[in-house]
Amino acid sequence: MSEIDNAIKECDLMIDRIIESDAELKENYAIITSIKGVARQNGACLLIFTNNFRRFDLDARKIACYYGVAPFGKDSGTSIHSPAKTSHFANKLIKSLLGQAAHCAKKFNPEIREYYNRLIGRGKKPQVALNNVKNKLIRIIVALVRKKVYYDPKTYMFYNAKFADVKQMLNS
């Protein structure tokens, strides 16, 4: 192994030790990483930059703004209307880490994959759809941490099947 690989391994061990030393950090880290697509770096990054969610009071919108994935438009009266865009002032490191999580999630997480495909089907550009996926991941993570429950894909499938039954009844 090279020196860089050894340094990375040492950093990973330090991250693990810090997370293991605090029960609340350990629980929140386990909840965050229970989502397919969100792994060690994203979990640790989210805990660090949000101070274990205390910095933003478990407010998904504030976290999304900080991560630079919440789009804002410019409107002024009747003459100035610009499309919603994300801020370029966001921390590029954490935004790119969340982007990698979104790519993995849209590949391996059925809920996120369906959401992404639905957005693309509605005519959204792939980068806009991916930004929506990033935002959705943050909202899912915050909801799970607030409720102190792990991500369960069976719950999504249950509600998805229930929604299909209701839709079928309405169409009959």
Side-chain angles (χ1 to χ4, degrees), residues 1-10:
M1 270 207 245
S2 70
E3 283 186 45
I4 294 173
D5 291 335
N6 287 334
I8 290 171
K9 196 172 189 178
E10 190 176 317

Side-chain angles (χ1 to χ4, degrees), residues 65-85:
C65 289
Y66 181 75
Y67 267 63
V69 297
F72 291 97
K74 292 181 182 171
D75 290 327
S76 177
T78 59
S79 61
I80 299 175
H81 301 289
S82 70
K85 296 179 182 177

Side-chain angles (χ1 to χ4, degrees), residues 79-97:
S79 61
I80 299 175
H81 301 289
S82 70
K85 296 179 182 177
T86 59
S87 173
H88 63 279
F89 291 114
N91 185 324
K92 304 290 189 277
L93 169 69
I94 60 177
K95 189 172 182 177
S96 67
L97 280 174

Side-chain angles (χ1 to χ4, degrees), residues 149-161:
V149 296
Y150 292 92
Y151 181 78
D152 183 11
K154 293 176 186 171
T155 303
Y156 164 71
M157 291 176 196
F158 170 77
Y159 284 110
N160 201 21

